[in-house]
Amino acid sequence: LNEADLYTSGRKERRHLLQKEEKEREIMEKSLKCVSKSSEIPNFKEKNNNLSIVESPDFEIGKSQEKEVLAQPCIWDGDITYEVQVELMLCLQRLMEHFV
């Protein structure tokens, strides 16, 4: 590549980045307009003045479940045969092809 090609490709990159930023800015402006419209509902606070206060969530159940799962041996630490490796590889390849 010569300098003119590099300059042109850099300019295209910058133009693409500017367009991407402009699209993101437009999306943010639209979302802000939606939020401001929803806050303009008349008498919203007066109609819903009996809202209950949400207490802080209890994470103890999740922590105990997490401890139980972490105490179990990891299936990836065990021995694995070549047959299972190939089968996993093919399965993952099919998944990848499906989502591409």
Side-chain angles (χ1 to χ4, degrees):
L1 294 175
N2 57 24
E3 284 190 39
D5 292 337
L6 291 174
Y7 178 76
T8 305
S9 65
R11 188 170 53 181
K12 286 180 183 177
E13 250 182 67
R14 289 188 299 274
R15 186 183 312 142
H16 175 70
L17 289 174
L18 289 173
Q19 289 172 348
K20 186 177 177 182
E21 289 175 3
E22 183 65 29
K23 286 179 184 178
E24 290 175 358
R25 190 176 309 120
E26 288 175 4
I27 292 171
M28 288 297 293
E29 288 174 359
K30 287 179 182 178
S31 65
L32 288 175
K33 286 179 183 178
C34 291
V35 169
S36 65
K37 285 181 182 178
S38 66
S39 64
E40 293 173 359
I41 298 173
N43 299 326
F44 180 75
K45 291 181 181 176
E46 293 175 12
K47 290 180 182 177
N48 297 323
N49 59 1
N50 293 329
L51 295 174
S52 62
I53 298 173
V54 178
E55 296 178 12
S56 61
D58 182 21
F59 293 114
E60 292 303 317
I61 297 171
K63 288 181 182 178
S64 64
Q65 293 291 327
E66 185 179 1
K67 286 179 185 176
E68 288 178 21
V69 170
L70 292 176
Q72 297 174 358
C74 180
I75 60 169
W76 301 112
D77 289 340
D79 292 335
I80 185 168
T81 62
Y82 179 74
E83 177 186 6
V84 175
Q85 289 177 1
V86 172
E87 191 174 334
L88 280 171
M89 182 188 66
L90 292 173
C91 181
L92 291 173
Q93 185 177 5
R94 287 189 203 114
L95 280 170
M96 184 177 62
E97 290 171 355
H98 175 73
F99 287 108
V100 170

